[in-house]
Amino acid sequence: MYKSILVPIDLAHSDVGQAIIKRASALADNNASITLLHVIGDIPSYAQSYLPEGQLQENLEETTKALKALSDAINVEAQAVVRYGSPSPVILDEAVERGSDLIIIASHHPGIKDYLMGSTASRVVRHADCSVLISR
Ligand code: ADP
């Protein structure tokens, strides 16, 4: 059904992430690509100078491993990508860069049932050029 699916995942809620990876797998064409994306909040440049050398790269590698472990645990073939920045613009840019035809995103943090949609999810659904599936 879809050829290039982008799955943004907040690693603070990895159980939610795993549920949306399963949905992506169910909606993927044969030979489709599934990309898992976690966005780490930008670290201000003044703070970066206090970090030990190589720390940012190490964070990136550890986070990529954690992301990949989510899909491996449920036997779904997916690529893990980690970027620094603000979640919604990074998600939108990544979708354009990859030519994604579907973004699957959770509606909000688990447990915040009063809100219709979280801030990242609502920005993505408002501005994406491709289809967006909001997973509740
Ligand atoms: P809330 O505003 O309730 O925190 P969000 O809209 O931020 O809810 O989160 C909903 C979904 O957006 C998450 O489950 C995830 O799919 C995506 N998301 C949120 N933050 C990130 C992030 N840092 N990296 C990747 N995806 C994210």
Side-chain angles (χ1 to χ4, degrees):
M1 276 206 271
Y2 294 96
K3 292 184 173 14
S4 172
I5 306 181
L6 183 65
V7 184
I9 291 178
D10 181 356
L11 280 171
H13 303 287
S14 51
D15 49 336
V16 175
Q18 219 154 33
I20 54 178
I21 296 171
K22 280 186 192 154
R23 280 183 176 231
S25 168
L27 292 170
D29 264 351
N30 286 342
N31 303 322
S33 71
I34 298 176
T35 305
L36 316 179
L37 170 67
H38 178 73
V39 186
I40 304 175
D42 260 335
I43 300 170
S45 48
Y46 72 86
Q48 283 185 31
S49 59
Y50 291 101
L51 293 174
E53 186 154 346
Q55 185 68 57
L56 288 180
Q57 185 58 29
E58 202 177 301
N59 286 355
L60 210 69
E61 283 165 16
E62 288 301 311
T63 310
T64 307
K65 273 190 208 154
L67 203 52
K68 187 82 179 90
L70 289 181
S71 56
D72 286 351
I74 51 173
N75 293 318
V76 172
E77 183 74 32
Q79 188 189 352
V81 172
V82 178
R83 304 262 184 253
Y84 282 99
S86 175
S88 48
V90 172
I91 292 166
L92 291 163
D93 285 350
E94 195 73 33
V96 171
E97 229 168 78
R98 291 179 178 272
S100 303
D101 51 1
L102 179 68
I103 300 172
I104 308 185
I105 194 165
S107 51
H108 47 55
H109 267 79
I112 314 182
K113 298 229 185 277
D114 290 346
Y115 289 110
L116 194 60
M117 221 184 281
S119 53
T120 307
S122 47
R123 287 188 190 115
V124 168
V125 79
R126 188 169 308 142
H127 298 292
D129 290 330
C130 65
S131 300
V132 180
L133 173 65
I134 302 290
S135 173
R136 285 200 173 269

